[in-house]
Amino acid sequence: MTQNRWMMILMTAFVFTVPALFAQGVSGYKFVQEAGGIKEYTLEKNGLQVLLMEDHSAPVLTLMVTYKVGSRNERLGNTGSTHILEHMMFKGTPTFNKEKGTAISATLQNVGAMMNATTWLDRTNYFEMIPSEHLELAVKIEADRMRNLLLDENHLKSEMTVVRNEFEIGENDPEEALDKNLWATAYQAHPYHHSTIGWKSDIENVTVEKLREFYDTYYWPNNATVTVIGDFSAGDALKLIDQYFGAIPKSKHAIPEMTTIEPKQEGPRRVTVKRSGQNGMVGIAHKSPKGLDPDNAALAVIYRALSVGKNSRFYKSLTDKGLAARANVFFWPFRDESLFISYVTATPAATHEQIEKIVLDEYEKIKTEGITQQELDAAKAQVKSSAAFARDGSFGIAAQINESIAMGDWKNFVSFTDEVEKVTLDDVKRVMNKYFTEDQMTVGYFIPVKEAGKSTGSIPNGYSRGSKSYRQPHFLFEQNMIDDDMGYAASAVIPSVNSKLAKNVTDKKINGIRVLSMKTGVKDVVTLRGSLMAGTVFAPAPNKAVAELTVAMLDQGTVKRDKFAIAAELEKM
């Protein structure tokens, strides 16, 4: 072969190979890997992790910055600092602040953004859902407050009112009060012992100096992940991230590791909380493995068999028999050993001891007999559908990735469904017998009292072990665009967006029913919602509750199928 022929082959290879390499990233980045349509990059100059996933089905995107620091990284005397610092991150920087009329919240809201932040045990995140054309603004703000935060006494004083109020709300919630005591009893050494909100005395005695030390320890690009999901160009996003985050150096110090390991529990533990409340509650907790442990796949199946749907074991043994107003399971894997907790809110017809026995009996049945193939199939279908639903919208994807980052590997978001699909009936029995032992159990009773120990009586309205937020984030799931309680000023300017959605919607009438439909980029999911003109305005004047009661009765079965048959059909999907 002649020299010229070799040169032509080499030049051809160069022409095809170089664009392929640059398609993986932009100069200054190292392309790491791709999974589930998500591409991972590292900004080489400072170690910032970047995750990108394009989806052009709607002209919006979510940018989320996850810091690998949570209440797990706090020490005694410093609890609650992560959460308070999260609040302080909205007080601004020399560029974005209230005094200049460029406050972070107002600046983002004025371009139509929905923004918030949450803190939990293993991570803290800050995020914006924005029209696509405002990506640069979100990147600029997040990069700016990564290292240029204003921290002063006046800001801390004003925000402490909000934080104290959030603490008191939790203290007055029976389920959260029981939850806090369960974790504090189950863990003796590990910092999961304290909740994310922190202990009251630590919150009230926090100083600007303590917060500055915490900020300067953990808020660096080499301890963070920037995730962008939605309608954007990967090349443009990488350039913007480099432009703004690339100016920040990596930390000069190593990010401290939390090295405390919880000692082995050597016997059952019990805690009783007597506090003003309404119904009695029982919480039964067992130690569960680290988030990336493969046994969590079987625990996900067990959680669903016990508490998800009308055919679940707790519904049939407790709720349907009138013994429980509510029976649910907390199962959320964390970076370190977590807790699998069954919570039951008792009705006046049941005692704490009776509830505890029924729950433990259900555990024993699974340990000895296992679950049925029908239960296993339903659980797998539910996990698969949950994973698909999580991809319905840019925020849902970013939020799920965020929790996998917290566990230690973002790819868990992609692989977990496959791991559950491999679970067998034998796996369920093995895992049940491995973790649901008396020596790994902590039992908590919430006993409501009123004045001289007299019980009261209705249902608590709490949530357990939830992340703490700058603003309570439920609006993100309800899609309310303006809500004064969420920090959105009534006068905020929500600009019109050149929407691509309207022209994608078809509008037809089928048997007199108006049917609107639109194809989205979400794989494996069809969302169906129906509306009837049958609200309270149509209810007879003497009893406006008729409309709501009718809706409630629709869930109780029909002349052809009872509620369990309907639930079985839906749950197996």
Side-chain angles (χ1 to χ4, degrees), residues 75-96:
R75 58 182 183 272
L76 289 176
N78 205 30
T79 66
S81 293
T82 322
H83 175 236
I84 296 172
L85 181 60
E86 173 221 305
H87 280 248
M88 297 296 287
M89 286 284 282
F90 288 85
K91 293 301 183 182
T93 69
T95 302
F96 296 98

Side-chain angles (χ1 to χ4, degrees), residues 288-304:
S288 59
K290 294 181 178 182
L292 298 181
D293 191 296
D295 282 349
N296 281 303
L299 285 170
V301 171
I302 294 167
Y303 146 63
R304 285 169 171 79

Side-chain angles (χ1 to χ4, degrees), residues 118-413:
T118 67
T119 311
W120 212 357
L121 302 181
D122 303 314
R123 53 73 179 162
T124 305
N125 65 45
Y126 303 85
F127 55 88
E128 296 83 24
M129 293 170 57
I130 52 175
S132 305
E133 62 267 29
H134 298 296
L135 173 60
E136 182 173 4
L137 175 63
V139 172
K140 184 177 181 180
I141 287 174
E142 292 300 348
D144 192 31
R145 64 177 170 177
M146 177 179 274
R147 291 305 319 142
N148 298 318
L149 180 63
L150 294 173
L151 272 171
D152 62 44
E153 290 291 346
N154 290 332
H155 287 158
L156 178 58
K157 187 176 180 180
S158 67
E159 204 59 34
M160 279 305 295
T161 303
V162 180
V163 175
R164 282 196 197 96
N165 182 58
E166 191 174 343
F167 177 84
E168 292 302 329
I169 289 172
E171 287 295 288
N172 293 324
D173 183 297
E175 186 169 336
E176 188 159 350
L178 178 59
D179 183 76
K180 184 184 294 187
N181 279 276
L182 265 175
W183 285 77
T185 305
Y187 287 88
Q188 296 180 335
H190 193 285
Y192 287 171
H193 172 84
H194 66 266
S195 67
T196 300
I197 195 75
W199 302 119
K200 185 177 182 180
S201 58
D202 289 350
I203 296 169
E204 292 178 340
N205 291 303
V206 72
T207 64
V208 168
E209 289 72 27
K210 281 184 179 180
L211 294 176
R212 172 66 67 180
E213 179 186 359
F214 205 81
Y215 177 70
D216 287 340
T217 300
Y218 294 103
Y219 277 62
W220 295 93
N222 49 306
N223 195 42
T225 302
V226 174
T227 303
V228 188
I229 310 290
D231 184 34
F232 67 96
S233 159
D236 291 343
L238 290 170
K239 289 175 184 175
L240 287 171
I241 292 168
D242 184 25
Q243 178 182 345
Y244 292 103
F245 283 95
I248 305 171
K250 68 184 300 184
S251 62
K252 294 180 181 179
H253 59 271
I255 304 299
E257 290 288 335
M258 201 292 294
T259 56
T260 302
I261 298 174
E262 178 67 18
K264 182 181 178 181
Q265 187 172 332
E266 297 175 318
R269 298 171 185 170
R270 304 188 76 89
V271 61
T272 299
V273 180
K274 293 183 178 181
R275 192 176 294 189
S276 177
Q278 297 172 335
N279 283 43
M281 294 186 63
V282 176
I284 301 178
H286 286 82
K287 297 278 174 57
S288 59
K290 294 181 178 182
L292 298 181
D293 191 296
D295 282 349
N296 281 303
L299 285 170
V301 171
I302 294 167
Y303 146 63
R304 285 169 171 79
L306 286 171
S307 68
V308 176
K310 284 188 171 59
N311 283 296
S312 67
R313 297 186 174 221
F314 286 166
Y315 184 89
K316 288 182 174 180
S317 62
L318 290 163
T319 309
D320 195 50
K321 291 182 177 179
L323 301 176
R326 183 172 58 166
N328 61 291
V329 168
F330 173 88
F331 167 65
W332 197 289
F334 293 118
R335 188 177 189 88
D336 295 326
E337 194 176 50
S338 185
L339 292 178
F340 185 108
I341 312 175
S342 293
Y343 284 106
V344 181
T345 301
T347 66
T351 65
H352 289 76
E353 293 78 11
Q354 185 180 5
I355 295 293
E356 179 182 350
K357 183 179 185 305
I358 291 172
V359 170
L360 294 180
D361 283 348
E362 291 297 339
Y363 289 175
E364 286 302 316
K365 288 176 187 176
I366 298 178
K367 290 166 74 173
T368 57
E369 303 167 13
I371 63 173
T372 67
Q373 186 66 48
Q374 184 179 357
E375 287 176 305
L376 179 62
D377 292 344
K380 289 182 177 182
Q382 290 163 15
V383 170
K384 183 178 180 181
S385 63
S386 295
F389 297 155
R391 288 177 173 257
D392 190 0
S394 61
F395 174 77
I397 298 172
Q400 294 294 318
I401 293 172
N402 170 72
E403 302 306 340
S404 291
I405 292 169
M407 286 181 210
D409 188 354
W410 66 267
K411 296 191 302 300
N412 184 70
F413 166 71

